[in-house]
Amino acid sequence: MCAAGAAVPQSGGEPLCVFGTGDLGRSLGQRLLQCGYSVVYGSRRPDSCGPIPLGALSHADAALSASLIFICVHRDHYGFLQNMAPHLEGKVLIDLSNNLKKGMFPDANAEYLQRLVPGAAVVKGLNTLSAWALQNGLLAGKQAFLCGDSAEAKQAVSQVCTRLGLSVLDKGSLSASRELEDFPLQLFPQWRLPLSIALGLTAFFYFHLLIRDVIYAYVENGKDISYRIMISLANKVFPIVSLVMLSLCYLPGVIAAFIQLYRGTKYRRFPDWLDRWMLCRKQIGLLALGFAFLHAIYTFIIPIRYAVRHKLISRMKNNKTTPFYFDNTEAWGTDSFYVLGILGFFLYVLLGLTSLPSVGATLSWREFNFIQSKLGHITLFICTAHGYIYGWNKFLKRSTYKWYTPPGYMLCLIVPSIVLVLKVILLLPCVDRTLTRIRQGWERAWVSKGFIYSLLDIVTNQQLT
Amino acid sequence: MCAAGAAVPQSGGEPLCVFGTGDLGRSLGQRLLQCGYSVVYGSRRPDSCGPIPLGALSHADAALSASLIFICVHRDHYGFLQNMAPHLEGKVLIDLSNNLKKGMFPDANAEYLQRLVPGAAVVKGLNTLSAWALQNGLLAGKQAFLCGDSAEAKQAVSQVCTRLGLSVLDKGSLSASRELEDFPLQLFPQWRLPLSIALGLTAFFYFHLLIRDVIYAYVENGKDISYRIMISLANKVFPIVSLVMLSLCYLPGVIAAFIQLYRGTKYRRFPDWLDRWMLCRKQIGLLALGFAFLHAIYTFIIPIRYAVRHKLISRMKNNKTTPFYFDNTEAWGTDSFYVLGILGFFLYVLLGLTSLPSVGATLSWREFNFIQSKLGHITLFICTAHGYIYGWNKFLKRSTYKWYTPPGYMLCLIVPSIVLVLKVILLLPCVDRTLTRIRQGWERAWVSKGFIYSLLDIVTNQQLT
Amino acid sequence: MCAAGAAVPQSGGEPLCVFGTGDLGRSLGQRLLQCGYSVVYGSRRPDSCGPIPLGALSHADAALSASLIFICVHRDHYGFLQNMAPHLEGKVLIDLSNNLKKGMFPDANAEYLQRLVPGAAVVKGLNTLSAWALQNGLLAGKQAFLCGDSAEAKQAVSQVCTRLGLSVLDKGSLSASRELEDFPLQLFPQWRLPLSIALGLTAFFYFHLLIRDVIYAYVENGKDISYRIMISLANKVFPIVSLVMLSLCYLPGVIAAFIQLYRGTKYRRFPDWLDRWMLCRKQIGLLALGFAFLHAIYTFIIPIRYAVRHKLISRMKNNKTTPFYFDNTEAWGTDSFYVLGILGFFLYVLLGLTSLPSVGATLSWREFNFIQSKLGHITLFICTAHGYIYGWNKFLKRSTYKWYTPPGYMLCLIVPSIVLVLKVILLLPCVDRTLTRIRQGWERAWVSKGFIYSLLDIVTNQQLT
């Protein structure tokens, strides 16, 4: 009666086969259907395998009609594949399996499968996809790693992956399958480095402040102010770490610009450490935002703390007689300090919001760049100014340098100041012009001869234009 | 001149027909085009029907060439379909119409349509899609409910739905169309239960605190502290409800684990109430976050309240003579209390952020699980500790139990404590190992014989491994 | 061996050609592959052009087999196209190029290209797509503007764009290409108007308050309270601007409803200014949220400010003797004020969250409407009440009207009050019924005769039902 399906090109082509009707198998099959393929399912129990459109066949029957077979079955159940090896002769088997832990088995699942069915071409891949992502169509822009010994087989699987909306990356022969099987077991791989930096900085500054504040007060004045560890110290460490992290987020971009200026070309790869650093800028920035958020809440909570109230009350008791003048400079100073902090935090949050995937997706490249670069550097500037104002009338007092150590808020201003100075140099019209030309693809004739040349170059560009 | 379109499989197949050139009709047609179908539009006024690629035909002409016709017209205008019934003989009509309210008409739109055109096969469905979702390609992962009396017709529509990226769910015969037409009229169906729980808890604790605080003070001491209703009471109720809701968010997972342990298999369905509960965990958690957010703001606002300032000032006036010592334990206690609250809130916000659809989509399943399970339980632990510290030196005082009732912060610790204790039991290596095996598909031989067996089982597993 | 690709309709059709193997060219090619097209790349250096599936050909060879050629090359390198003009005879060239600034070249890139290759049909378009969006599959719902002199060529490109998931908008002949090339150079075009309004309002109220607070105090009392500029003034201006912006966000909807009521039909377009206003409501609302957020932080920070602490302490010193009564009305008043502010802010944040693209996408149209309309007006009501309570006991005092000017919090209540009154009128059952009928497509017979008729109409509708 109705031939609507005919309008869509599913017919003609050979179906794809999916072994296994669990969550993953069903989701993969559905997704393949949505991409215009026809699909047959193979199941241990073809008659009782849950809600599948058009039903499932036995493994052997399903394998008959297809040359590509997706194995969505746990490694434990691979036994039946060995039994039906003759039916799988010349087929491409895509091993999607994962393990619960690293090193659960002596060999990779895909290599084990290849040993069981030597006549088939095993391709390892797609194991990074979850049933959930397949069901919800969240594949766009994701990468599919493939490996396998047959180039033809990989090519065929690669075509299917492309149609699923994935970007394919060939990782070589089947011996790489161990590596591929370890991918989904990683937890937040791109957060490792940023988290280590954040924890290292936190530990260092905590220790530094502990000595200068709590231990110093105990040793020199015999006062026990250990209760400060909980909030006062934390509220010094968090803004410090946040500011340093924020500057570490913008430092690699500045370094990269200087490297490009020095080399006179954009076509040479950056050193590996810089590449790695640049790839985790987003994570560094988000951690900085996290610390800034904690700093904000710690600050809001200050006036309800027992210690603060006590100080306020006892100061008044002791101050009963002395006259109490209003210091206009003090009012201006502290208020400016707070205003810079608030504005900095506001911009911080704005940066964080635009790094939400769905918000970022609505921005054009120019807009994204404007926010993450221009607004980011303004945020860094405001936050650094916030830090400078904090110490503006303290850095010349001897009492600031307890036990001859500089206070934390001075140490934390070093990196941001360097980043800002370097950025200002890059914004000088002559430097900016050269850099823009390099980034458009222009290459200096006497490439990578050194810094003098790049200076010469900047001067020349300026005179030419 | 150019045959680029030829590279894409639109030709050959029969076109799909869309009746109605309003927002919905146009968006549906465009989406069908994007999926590779060819489309003809039927319109009352083919010549003046807005911006449509390739224009529209009269209804009759459009119907000629297609066997599937999408009816994107209000029920009020179905009359013309009756007139052209001969042209619709043997066609599949997909009724996408919705009503403004439940029960506007005595029968479902689709059934009415079937009566008007008895020779066609009416399928109800796709009415949950909005023009906006169609235009913005937001269909992936959404469900399409279909119903109709002809299995063939449903199959044809189902194929189109699959190509649109939808997951199809067959709801049976056309008599189910009433139900389908009521779907889009529901407001936040999955928020109903969580909201009821939240409101119930809020009402109960508000009433409880009203009696213990305001009414008690009035009856026993004759003091009018009714002004506390606005902020002080709310700021006690909100954290209480938030903590209870958070624990209710993790309780079903724990119960499910114990059920699986008891049954020795994961292949039997959970009781209905547990299924429903588990499906609204996200909503429960988000409501808990909302209450925590309110609690945070209420807390920040404390020191600027008139009543608080007044108390601070009057305390000093009355305290003029008594010496005023700094209590280190008090400082540690309150600061720990605040720190736990801040950290708990921070993790809360983190959990909330990862439940944003676009953030969740960037996580692998393991990462999502790590955050929502591990981090979630840590958050629950910290927030519960926050509650315990609040009452640590009060629970033994008689004055705490006004009118022999326990205070709210004690009541609210019951459920979280139970969840945490149960979770700790599940984390014991022997229990955890058994549970992991069950979740990998292993089934205990003497299934569902009772608790003793599952204990035996735990012991056995431990000895085997 | 494997013919899986055969299941997908790539064969048969002619390939599409992409000139240029940079980021954009590679991403476009991949995306075309994912949509089922076959693709050939043309490159200056076919052997060394980075990771391309199936490799690249020379420009001439690549052009041979295709009739559509996507030019993903900088305008600077267009020279080679002139040289190979004979090979491009009769082909469609799609110019995707962009410039760095407006007016870099005397003519549009596409017109320049057409002059270089007069025998080809140049179509300008797709230049708003970024490589990043192409790679991550973020095209759904985006618009593709096309222009060109050949209708046939545009039609062919338009088909490809549709398959890529884009909505095509024809902008006319090739002379429009300048306009299209300027599109991607715009920064946040839809934020322009809202930002101007916000800045204008901020400047006006800042100036107004500066005169009334700081200058008045200096002139009349000789007191220097200039330090208030930083925080106190800002914390008055921000909530004022936020409230006005929020009401400006809901005013156009109310005006539109009255226009529809007056005209008696929904089928006539609104005046241009109203259309533009309605299109930037989201941005106005988000700016209002930004100001509310700043207001909240400024408020939280109040008690730790030097000036506030000083005032608190000095008030006590001077107050030593006077008795200090607790004012219950004052406590109720200020607490209600804070509660309304907190609830308003909470709803504000909720509105902001649902305007995140990925959150909005999970809502049905009814739910989105409920939140943005119902919840939005409730938020406006609560925030307006917050403003009214602030001035409830001040508006009758003469001291409020310094220099005969009304204070800012009075001025800012005007627009919100008007919006709320108009909204209440619209919610009257008789008006609401007529409006609902109009929005369902019903048209009044004596269309647009004036207000008396629409009143008549409202009365008639009421009697009929």
Side-chain angles (χ1 to χ4, degrees), chain B residues 139-336:
Chain B
L139 304 186
K142 290 209 171 141
Q143 291 187 312
F145 300 99
L146 296 183
C147 72
D149 291 334
S150 152
E152 258 185 323
K154 274 194 286 188
Q155 178 58 32
V157 179
S158 162
Q159 276 184 30
V160 177
C161 292
T162 301
R163 286 287 295 168
L164 288 173
L166 299 159
S167 307
V168 179
L169 251 98
D170 192 331
K171 301 290 275 187
S173 75
L174 201 58
S175 56
S177 49
R178 180 120 225 177
E179 190 193 337
L180 264 65
E181 285 170 15
D182 285 346
F183 271 136
L185 297 176
Q186 289 181 311
L187 264 184
F188 300 103
Q190 73 280 43
W191 285 86
R192 291 266 155 101
L193 182 62
L195 268 176
S196 317
I197 298 173
L199 290 180
L201 285 172
T202 308
F204 170 74
F205 281 108
Y206 226 107
F207 192 67
H208 180 254
L209 283 169
L210 193 71
I211 292 175
R212 278 181 46 96
D213 277 24
V214 179
I215 298 180
Y216 179 89
Y218 189 74
V219 170
E220 300 280 328
N221 311 330
K223 270 170 65 186
D224 175 7
I225 53 169
S226 62
Y227 72 92
R228 286 209 190 174
I229 289 173
M230 300 296 286
I231 296 194
S232 307
L233 248 63
N235 203 18
K236 283 182 182 176
V237 170
F238 290 162
I240 286 174
V241 175
S242 177
L243 184 54
V244 175
M245 294 291 283
L246 187 66
S247 57
L248 289 181
C249 174
Y250 291 107
L251 185 52
V254 172
I255 294 178
F258 274 97
I259 289 181
Q260 286 181 336
L261 271 181
Y262 174 80
R263 288 178 175 171
T265 176
K266 70 161 184 177
Y267 291 110
R268 279 175 53 203
R269 288 200 49 186
F270 293 123
D272 260 5
W273 58 267
L274 188 58
D275 257 350
R276 275 216 307 282
W277 192 354
M278 289 181 76
L279 281 175
C280 64
R281 279 181 295 179
K282 182 175 171 177
Q283 283 74 27
I284 294 178
L286 289 177
L287 283 178
L289 173 58
F291 279 96
F293 181 71
L294 282 173
H295 171 47
I297 303 187
Y298 271 88
T299 305
F300 299 156
I301 226 80
I302 287 176
I304 56 171
R305 287 176 61 208
Y306 167 77
V308 174
R309 288 193 180 181
H310 182 275
K311 204 168 155 193
L312 190 70
I313 293 175
S314 55
R315 191 196 297 167
M316 272 170 35
K317 286 193 185 296
N318 306 335
N319 251 348
K320 248 173 241 166
T321 47
T322 53
F324 190 62
Y325 292 118
F326 185 81
D327 181 355
N328 239 320
T329 319
E330 178 82 11
W332 268 97
T334 54
D335 276 13
S336 311

Side-chain angles (χ1 to χ4, degrees), chain A residues 303-345:
Chain A
I304 56 170
R305 287 177 61 209
Y306 167 76
V308 174
R309 289 193 178 182
H310 183 275
K311 205 169 154 192
L312 190 70
I313 294 175
S314 55
R315 192 197 296 168
M316 273 172 34
K317 287 192 184 295
N318 307 335
N319 251 349
K320 248 173 244 167
T321 47
T322 54
F324 188 61
Y325 292 119
F326 186 80
D327 182 354
N328 238 320
T329 320
E330 178 81 11
W332 268 97
T334 54
D335 276 12
S336 312
F337 173 64
Y338 291 134
V339 163
L340 285 172
I342 292 171
L343 287 185
F345 182 62

